Amino acid sequence: MLVTINFVITCLYYVIALFFLIAIVRVFIKTKNVQDAMLYCLIMIPFVLRLLRLK
Amino acid sequence: MKDKTNIIKFGFAAIVLCAVGIAGYLFHEQRVYREPVVVSENITEVKKLSDYYDGVKGTINDCNIYIFDSGVPGGTMMLMGSNHPEEPTGVMACNMFIENLKVTQGRIIVVTRVNTSGSTCTRPGEAYPRYFTQDTEWGEKKWRMGDRIGSPLDSWPDPEVYIHYPSGLNLAYMDIRNTNRNWPGKPDGLLTERTCYALMECIRQEGVDMTLDFHEAELEYPVENMIVVHQKAADVGAMVSMMLTSQTFDVPLSVDFSPEALHGLTHREVGDYSDAASYLAEVAEPMLDRIRGITDEELLMSGKDRFVMEAGKHGLLYSPMDENGWPIEKRVARHVETARKIMEVNGTVHPDQVITFEGIPSYQEILDNGCGPYYHDPSTAPADRVFYD
Amino acid sequence: MKKITLAAAIGTAALMMTACGGGDTATTTAAATEAATTAATTEAATTAAAADDAAETEAAADASGDASATAEEGKITGPFIITSCGQTPGAVMLNMMAQQNGIESVADNAVTADTFDPGNAKTLIVTAGTSGKGMGAAGTDVNAEIARCEGVIAKAKEAGLTVVGAHIEGMARRTDQADQDSIDCVMSNADVMLVIDESDSDGWFTNYAAENGKPIIKVKDALSIAEVMQ
């Protein structure tokens, strides 16, 4: 039971991570503020590493 | 103006992507690196943990079980390394046994990587090296330096509070991934619980008489340079402590009983849930101290740290610490000698459990020669004697 | 002022007697009886206390049967009853040593004044120092351990047993206040002190024995204790 719950939560987690990554990429593309763009880039790092299951 | 902004934006994104690529490569490299071990020609069999319980089949924790059977009736000892992968002498001591052992009476079973998952990542925020190496005559032998607990890539999320099975003891949430808080395991639990259950099955099915779990501890921690024994091993543990302290070790090896109310640890649960008498050995590892200086492979292997040494001068440590530090060969030698002495003393107390063996260097030989000479070159060894952990 | 001067003079005189090897063996440092093979050192108590204290010490030694005799010989005499004031494995270690020497011995870390049965035992050994793991396992704490051991020691003394206070697990059992409380309890109630060199590496036990007029047996390490058991 716990294993199943964990599996579902993990899948949801990756979906949420993907959602936020897409959102960040979107605002990164849209923004005209260089400083904000740099910030979005840095925020993307953990999302990318998680989605690729590297960390 | 817009073009310039885009150049800066995407230029920076490219830099970040490179950083992600490098970091990702390094994480992945440690995740997939497998440690070659050249087993002794006297090995009987190498099984997988899933042979004892298929609930771990196909998982990263389906480790090798190295079995040395003399064919002569006697006792059975199981040695366990890397229960906490950030304590590397366990895996080094186990490898020393696997690569050199010849059992002449009884059986010895070695599990090098109890928590393989934990050895594939390091602890966040601690700046641990990813690997550690030992110089040998043929080159460097390399192991993964891990975390204390399993990787969240293999078991996630953790519960708010980890409730140990079957005792119901409440433990910290991350201990659900700590193999030394999950014994005797749970067959339908999360990965670490299933791993411990499979190891318990191995102990029960193989009829193991005693287990020894190798650990290391920070010098600020009172359970240091000690063997912790299950109550049914109290007499042997006491004798081992006295003999090694008196005859062999420069720093005493004390002994303590396993607390009956603290659950999930090998020294408690293996003894309670199998016929085996369980032992856990601790040795000083300055790299685990909170007050250490630069955290690198040099510190891990030399065991020398001036900050920890300074703490010792002020009486803040539970272990002596001087300019000689706690070098890896001394730490490995203590574990190897402790295992030898437990088998020796146990054989006198329980004559039906005698284990005799050859090929393993003495405490003094390891101190004199270092660990290097006792590991063999996998590139020149016969392929059927090379296994990977 | 006169009293202070007088006390100082008596103290100095006692020290000089000690230094010269004079005085009663029960109150001054006896020649260290160092058994060549055992490496066991026996020191009768050193005390610089005034005559009244000395008399008290001597009386206490007499009351405890052959305590001073065993100390002078550097031996402790079985059969033994052994317990630990702090649930450490010390009692098991001593029990193993006794049994390997063929001496009747029983180790019981749960014995209380109510359950204490001296039987044919001649000596009660109480090991000092505490184990958090051990006390946790036994569901007790250092204060309960002290109360238990004081009761057992009182019963043992009533039965005419020699009480040996032992510290045989080295500095690992001298780390905190719980250890010290256990040591204070055991040593203050002991007729004879038995310690290993590492436990006394700072001289604490030697000084304690000297200050309190207690015979002390020192051995190299726990394994050497077998050589002072008889």
Side-chain angles (χ1 to χ4, degrees):
Chain A
M1 182 65 179
L2 191 60
V3 176
T4 309
I5 292 170
N6 266 30
F7 177 74
V8 171
I9 292 174
T10 303
C11 291
L12 290 174
Y13 174 78
Y14 283 107
V15 170
I16 293 166
L18 181 64
F19 170 79
F20 279 108
L21 182 62
I22 292 168
I24 295 164
V25 170
R26 189 166 171 270
V27 293
F28 167 77
I29 292 168
K30 279 189 167 183
T31 186
K32 294 180 174 58
N33 185 317
V34 172
Q35 201 171 343
D36 284 353
M38 289 179 171
L39 186 64
Y40 296 142
C41 276
L42 293 174
I43 293 169
M44 276 182 230
I45 294 175
F47 288 97
V48 174
L49 290 174
R50 272 157 182 71
L51 283 167
L52 295 176
R53 287 185 58 80
L54 293 167
K55 187 65 177 174
Chain B
M1 183 62 190
K2 192 181 172 186
D3 285 348
K4 193 181 171 189
T5 303
N6 277 341
I7 289 169
I8 295 172
K9 269 172 61 177
F10 287 100
F12 191 76
I15 293 169
V16 166
L17 207 60
C18 287
V20 168
I22 293 167
Y25 172 76
L26 295 175
F27 290 138
H28 182 69
E29 187 188 46
Q30 187 186 7
R31 175 87 178 155
V32 299
Y33 177 74
R34 294 292 174 263
E35 300 155 348
V37 56
V38 182
V39 299
S40 158
E41 60 188 5
N42 303 297
I43 196 158
T44 310
E45 194 177 7
V46 181
K47 286 188 169 181
K48 300 297 284 186
L49 184 59
S50 56
D51 293 340
Y52 300 95
Y53 173 62
D54 61 8
V56 293
K57 198 173 184 67
T59 70
I60 196 166
N61 279 1
D62 190 7
C63 58
N64 292 331
I65 309 286
Y66 299 92
I67 300 174
F68 294 80
D69 189 346
S70 66
V72 180
T76 300
M77 170 71 143
M78 178 188 269
L79 305 175
M80 292 189 277
S82 198
N83 201 338
H84 288 155
E86 66 174 353
E87 298 157 15
T89 51
V91 66
M92 292 182 71
C94 283
N95 276 190
M96 199 173 279
F97 273 94
I98 291 167
E99 299 207 10
N100 301 283
L101 190 60
K102 181 184 180 187
V103 180
T104 49
Q105 183 175 357
R107 294 190 305 161
I108 295 179
I109 298 171
V110 187
V111 186
T112 309
R113 286 289 189 189
V114 166
N115 188 357
T116 310
S117 170
S119 69
T120 61
C121 61
T122 58
R123 194 188 289 195
E126 293 288 335
Y128 284 175
R130 293 181 301 140
Y131 306 102
F132 59 97
T133 54
Q134 169 69 55
D135 287 334
T136 70
E137 291 158 1
W138 48 267
E140 284 185 339
K141 184 169 173 65
K142 180 173 153 185
W143 292 270
R144 297 182 301 272
M145 170 66 184
D147 192 357
R148 180 180 171 83
I149 56 178
S151 170
L153 288 176
D154 301 312
S155 178
W156 189 90
D158 299 334
E160 286 292 311
V161 175
Y162 160 44
I163 300 171
H164 172 260
Y165 176 84
S167 72
L169 183 72
N170 287 6
L171 292 164
Y173 69 95
M174 70 285 195
D175 277 335
I176 190 73
R177 287 180 280 129
N178 181 345
T179 36
N180 208 29
R181 295 295 183 277
N182 277 270
W183 299 81
K186 189 178 178 189
D188 59 349
L190 298 182
L191 178 63
T192 315
E193 291 174 303
R194 298 201 307 275
T195 303
C196 289
Y197 181 80
L199 285 159
M200 280 302 305
E201 279 301 299
C202 174
I203 290 165
R204 288 186 283 247
Q205 290 173 30
E206 293 289 350
V208 172
D209 297 311
M210 52 198 150
T211 62
L212 174 58
D213 181 15
F214 295 121
H215 283 260
E216 296 185 79
E218 58 270 42
L219 285 72
E220 297 159 272
Y221 182 55
V223 183
E224 184 65 282
N225 297 319
M226 177 181 280
I227 44 173
V228 184
V229 301
H230 191 273
Q231 277 69 10
K232 61 179 152 181
D235 48 358
V236 175
M239 201 67 203
V240 167
S241 160
M242 286 190 285
M243 291 176 78
L244 289 177
T245 299
S246 174
Q247 299 167 345
T248 310
F249 294 164
D250 55 343
V251 176
L253 179 77
S254 49
V255 61
D256 217 332
F257 298 136
S258 170
E260 287 172 10
L262 180 56
H263 292 281
L265 294 93
T266 50
H267 54 68
R268 179 77 263 140
E269 311 296 354
V270 171
D272 282 355
Y273 287 89
S274 75
D275 293 333
S278 42
Y279 303 80
L280 183 152
E282 293 277 10
V283 67
E285 184 191 345
M287 199 175 109
L288 297 177
D289 279 276
R290 308 309 305 170
I291 51 172
R292 66 179 184 267
I294 296 170
T295 307
D296 58 6
E297 190 185 344
E298 165 64 20
L299 170 58
L300 182 66
M301 302 305 274
S302 72
K304 294 177 184 174
D305 186 281
R306 64 191 177 94
F307 295 101
V308 179
M309 196 170 83
E310 191 64 26
K313 286 180 188 169
H314 295 279
L316 299 173
L317 305 178
Y318 292 94
S319 166
M321 174 76 177
D322 58 21
E323 62 281 356
N324 296 317
W326 279 89
I328 196 81
E329 56 270 16
K330 182 172 174 176
R331 286 143 56 195
V332 172
R334 283 178 70 101
H335 276 343
V336 170
E337 198 61 27
T338 300
R340 184 202 311 278
K341 194 60 75 178
I342 287 172
M343 287 185 259
E344 183 186 314
V345 173
N346 187 73
T348 63
V349 176
H350 306 286
D352 57 323
Q353 294 177 7
V354 170
I355 300 170
T356 56
F357 59 88
E358 299 167 359
I360 303 302
S362 69
Y363 176 76
Q364 197 56 48
E365 282 172 331
I366 300 173
L367 288 190
D368 291 345
N369 305 328
C371 298
Y374 307 106
Y375 301 122
H376 304 103
D377 186 359
S379 66
T380 59
D384 63 344
R385 283 180 48 202
V386 180
F387 289 82
Y388 292 87
D389 288 309
Chain C
M1 187 62 190
K2 279 183 181 176
K3 282 182 182 172
I4 294 170
T5 310
L6 184 62
I10 292 170
T12 308
L15 276 171
M16 286 172 70
M17 286 172 71
T18 304
C20 297
D24 192 294
T25 50
T27 57
T28 60
T29 306
T33 318
E34 202 159 12
T37 53
T38 64
T41 306
T42 304
E43 289 176 35
T46 300
T47 178
D52 285 352
D53 294 338
E56 279 175 21
T57 308
E58 201 163 8
D62 289 340
S64 62
D66 55 358
S68 57
T70 54
E72 282 164 25
E73 293 163 12
K75 301 281 186 186
I76 53 176
T77 306
F80 302 113
I81 296 173
I82 310 169
T83 192
S84 160
C85 182
Q87 300 293 322
T88 72
V92 178
M93 293 163 84
L94 284 170
N95 194 39
M96 289 285 285
M97 289 290 92
Q99 289 178 352
Q100 293 228 330
N101 259 15
I103 301 170
E104 201 180 325
S105 168
V106 60
D108 184 356
N109 280 355
V111 65
T112 63
D114 294 336
T115 62
F116 181 75
D117 175 14
N120 63 340
K122 289 186 178 170
T123 302
L124 169 72
I125 308 177
V126 186
T127 65
T130 59
S131 160
K133 286 180 184 289
M135 291 194 292
T140 184
D141 60 32
V142 68
N143 293 325
E145 280 292 280
I146 287 171
R148 179 180 69 83
C149 287
E150 282 180 339
V152 172
I153 289 169
K155 281 277 185 160
K157 287 187 173 177
E158 273 176 28
L161 272 67
T162 301
V163 177
V164 175
H167 197 281
I168 61 158
E169 295 177 81
M171 296 305 280
R173 302 292 180 207
R174 286 190 57 201
T175 59
D176 57 20
Q177 191 56 46
D179 287 333
Q180 192 57 49
D181 291 347
S182 166
I183 291 166
D184 289 342
C185 162
V186 171
M187 297 307 163
S188 64
N189 285 294
D191 301 317
V192 181
M193 294 166 63
L194 170 66
V195 298
I196 63 168
D197 284 349
E198 197 216 339
S199 293
D200 196 35
S201 56
D202 60 354
W204 190 91
F205 287 99
T206 301
N207 292 338
Y208 184 90
E211 288 165 9
N212 294 278
K214 290 185 186 290
I216 181 169
I217 301 171
K218 286 178 67 179
V219 294
K220 181 168 146 280
D221 50 41
L223 207 60
S224 306
I225 292 169
E227 295 155 352
V228 299
M229 288 175 161
Q230 64 181 17

